[in-house]
Amino acid sequence: VNPTQIQSGTAFFLTTKSSVVGNPTLAIKEKHKGTVNNRDVYSPVVNLQILHISLFYNDYAHGRRIADGVVAAYGPDFSADVDDNDAQNVSNIDEDIALMRSGQKLSIETRPVIQSTDTLFLFMTRMKTQAYEWQFTPDSFDPSVSAMLVDNYTGASTPISMQGTTAISFNVDISIAASKATNRFYIVFAPAAPMPVTISSIKAYEYNSGINVDWTCQQVNADRYETEKSLNGASFTN
């Protein structure tokens, strides 16, 4: 989609360059109208992996409420640099979050598909002394990708599910600089590592015309088990 075209009925923000002096204006004249409909701007985008990041707090009168949100989108046609596919952040009057890249605050950051590792740098400001909650909602990520939220203040590293929504609570004390630091959090992506398994017992015995194998193990978040057999102890098949 041509980024210089605006579909009829679309809302948009304007930002002023730091070098501009005075009160800039925008004039849109009749001759600026396009002759080709730009409805494709609303067409679904395929092959994108999207992470929705939201900041929540609990309000005494209204309960759990969202304060702000940002989006990170990964696709094969995106660049790691800040370009026209990224959206600059428009500041809130209260809690404000963004994704930092090359000194710029973004509300939507586009990145190449994660091949090995990647990092998202969360920015937060205008926080209050209270409890908050990060909510991470991924869409269409490869199961081989893992993510971790790192808290520079507490030193905690908390896993983020890339297959379902994850909520992570934290507290802010604005009297402590590190607690309210704008760069307190970041997200690290990496290929998922095999989960350790502790087998406490295993036995095999003849049952009718076959062999039964029973085992007991300790493991969480297991997707499935695959059993293999071998006639020589070297070559195995399912």
Side-chain angles (χ1 to χ4, degrees), residues 42-121:
Y42 296 117
S43 298
V45 181
V46 296
N47 299 324
L48 289 187
Q49 300 172 345
I50 300 176
L51 180 62
H52 300 269
I53 305 171
S54 303
L55 177 68
F56 284 87
Y57 67 96
N58 282 309
D59 180 76
Y60 178 79
H62 304 96
R64 187 173 186 260
R65 298 178 68 84
I66 188 169
D68 200 7
V70 294
V71 170
Y74 292 81
D77 298 325
F78 291 142
S79 167
D81 299 324
V82 177
D83 56 22
D84 288 341
N85 288 314
D86 303 294
Q88 298 290 329
N89 181 62
V90 178
S91 298
N92 290 336
I93 59 174
D94 290 313
E95 290 92 345
D96 186 23
I97 66 172
L99 295 169
M100 290 294 298
R101 186 70 59 181
S102 301
Q104 301 187 58
K105 296 192 287 289
L106 307 172
S107 60
I108 301 176
E109 182 176 10
T110 55
R111 307 278 297 162
V113 174
I114 301 171
Q115 300 295 335
S116 55
T117 60
D118 194 29
T119 303
L120 290 177
F121 301 96

Side-chain angles (χ1 to χ4, degrees), residues 215-231:
W215 72 88
T216 302
C217 69
Q218 297 177 355
Q219 184 178 355
V220 296
N221 298 325
D223 178 66
R224 66 186 184 277
Y225 291 101
E226 293 184 359
T227 306
E228 298 182 340
K229 64 181 180 179
S230 173
L231 298 177

